[in-house]
Each structure stands twice: as C-alpha cells, then as structure tokens.
Amino acid sequence: MSPAPDDGERWVELARADGVLGEVVLRRRGTPAGPLVDLVVAGVAVMDDQDTTSERALATLALDELDRLGGGRGGPHLVVGGLGLGFTAAELLADPRLGPAGRVTVVEVEPAVVAWNRAGLVPATAGATDDARLEVVVGDVAEVLPALAASAPGSADAVLLDVDNGPGFLVVPANARLYERAALAGVAALLRPGGVLAVWSAQAAPQLRDALEAVVGPTRVHRSSVVREGRDLDYYVHLAARRG
Ligand SMILES: C[S@@+](CC[C@H](N)C(=O)[O-])C[C@H]1O[C@@H](n2cnc3c(N)ncnc32)[C@H](O)[C@@H]1O
C-alpha cells in the first residue's frame, strides 16, 4: 500500500509489524528541517534520521580504536548489535578501512526491521544491504553473541552494541542483562586480544565503564554532541580494548 502524502507535523506510517519485542513501526513526518523518518520498537522511538552523528561515530570510533591498537589490518571482522535504521552498519561498509576482505555481521532481533532495510524503505541502507561483505543475523544479541563466541572464540576484531539506550535508560527491560559483567565477559570472548568492544549509551554510564574495565580491558568514553528537536544533547560511546 502506498503511504499517504506527508502533511507536515502528522506522522505517516510507512510500515508496521507485530515484533518480538512488541509492535514495530517505521514512520515519517515533515519538519522545518525536512522529512524525518523514525523507528518505533515496543512503543518507543528508538532511532531517527535527524542527527545520526553518534550512531555513525560508533562505527568510526571503533575503527579508530582498532587502528590505534594496531589491529584490523587486512580486513577486520566487525559484529554490530542492532540494525535499526542502518546508519552504523552503512558507515562501516563505507569506510575504506573495512577493505574488500572485511566483514560486517549485524545481529537484529526484529525480523521486520531487517525486511524494511532490505526493501529499501530505510534511506541509510538503501543499496548497502546488497553488499557482499554484510551478513545480517536475525536474533537476540544475548543469544547470538555467546553462540558466536562459543563456535569461533576470538574471531571478531570489534563488537559494536547499539541495541538499547544504555543501562540507565532501557527501552526493553530484558536488555539490562547485556550491560552486566557476565554478558560483557561473554562478548569479550568473541573478541581477539586487542579487539574493541564499543557500546553506545544515551547517558554517561560510570558503572558500565567500570564493568568494561574489569571484564574487557582499558576503557575510554567518547562524547558526541547532537541536536534533536532544537535541543543540544550528549550521547556516549564506551570503548574497551580487550586485554591480551
Ligand atoms: C537504536 S536502534 C539501532 C540504531 C543503529 N545503530 C542505526 O544506526 O540505525 C536499536 C536496534 O536494536 C534492536 N534490538 C533491541 N534489542 C535487541 C536485542 N536484544 N538483540 C538484537 N537487536 C536488538 C532494535 O530492534 C533496533 O532495531
């Protein structure tokens, strides 16, 4: 069905599905700055295309950290938790440091989100989902990452997590376990020594930083300033380097 014409402030639904976490909606509305597309998961707007600085920074900061640590040469394997509107994945695929031999594995729990990206409904990934270096796995990172770590320990150069708003501001309560030490240690097992775990958070999260320091390795926090609906906001990427 064709979407209704956009009429300014009113949301126009582009797609809707019953999801694993709840209802999933892709919608669009006009704003003074131009059309805005956003993704609603379980009743909460989790991602839009208005200011994607921090989601793209998650990608470039992880690659910068790999560079700094001397890793990832010759085609890194990067694992991303949460496809969303695909900005993080598209940024990785567009980065020359991925190279022809690099691989990006994205784990997304909502099948509809994957389908909408593949159908070209999502501007960031239009075209990118055909990239042969991209594999999309439909599943919960809480199950898929430990399974990957068990079958291929130490096989990832970096893991980038943006499945929720961070430990202090959860959309999905069950995601709380992802930020706990046991889960972070499980993700560390998927990383090779010197690999990078990058975690996006809507708030500074000192407990997350402490947990990353304890179970992964030295951790730095990067702040991105973004403008949303005319407001200045700070988002954070926690970068932990796996000890050798
Ligand atoms: C904030 S969005 C990701 C935004 C993405 N970085 C981008 O650039 O568009 C979060 C995504 O993670 C997914 N998600 C939430 N919990 C998840 C989980 N436990 N495992 C895998 N995906 C999850 C949501 O369905 C949503 O698509």
Side-chain angles (χ1 to χ4, degrees):
M1 192 178 76
S2 301
D6 198 338
D7 71 346
E9 292 301 309
R10 193 165 63 84
W11 284 109
V12 175
E13 200 171 287
L14 302 175
R16 174 183 290 267
D18 287 329
V20 174
L21 304 175
E23 199 170 44
V24 194
V25 182
L26 187 68
R27 56 187 188 167
R28 187 190 68 214
R29 72 175 163 84
T31 76
L36 176 148
V37 173
D38 89 351
L39 173 68
V40 178
V41 175
V44 180
V46 295
M47 180 67 197
D48 66 46
D49 65 352
Q50 187 180 45
D51 185 337
T52 60
T53 308
S54 69
E55 290 79 9
R56 289 180 288 109
L58 176 63
T60 48
L61 288 167
L63 289 170
D64 290 351
E65 191 71 351
L66 262 185
D67 274 353
R68 198 178 69 81
L69 297 166
R73 309 251 156 80
H77 180 209
L78 311 169
V79 179
V80 180
L83 178 60
L85 296 182
F87 285 93
T88 303
E91 190 77 12
L92 291 174
L93 291 166
D95 196 301
R97 290 173 289 185
L98 188 65
R103 289 190 296 137
V104 177
T105 302
V106 179
V107 184
E108 167 59 49
V109 73
E110 292 293 355
V113 170
V114 175
W116 298 337
N117 276 272
R118 286 193 174 132
L121 290 177
V122 174
T125 49
T129 51
D130 292 335
D131 193 311
R133 300 169 301 170
L134 173 68
E135 177 192 22
V136 180
V137 176
V138 178
D140 191 319
V141 288
E143 287 150 25
V144 176
L145 297 186
L148 288 175
S151 63
S155 61
D157 292 284
V159 175
L160 293 69
L161 280 184
D162 181 16
V163 292
D164 212 301
N165 282 332
F169 182 26
L170 290 167
V171 174
V172 179
N175 280 340
R177 60 188 162 158
L178 301 174
Y179 304 98
E180 290 170 3
R181 292 184 182 212
L184 297 171
V187 177
L190 176 56
L191 290 170
R192 63 164 179 72
V196 173
L197 173 53
V199 185
W200 191 96
S201 175
Q203 297 170 333
Q207 283 183 327
L208 172 61
R209 182 184 186 144
D210 290 349
L212 288 167
E213 286 269 1
V215 302
V216 183
T219 301
R220 302 188 302 131
V221 182
H222 184 276
R223 190 178 64 191
S224 292
S225 298
V226 304
V227 180
R228 313 197 73 76
E229 308 276 341
R231 287 192 304 149
D232 293 326
L233 297 172
D234 289 332
Y235 294 143
Y236 299 84
V237 175
H238 297 72
L239 293 157
R242 191 191 154 184
R243 286 186 192 89

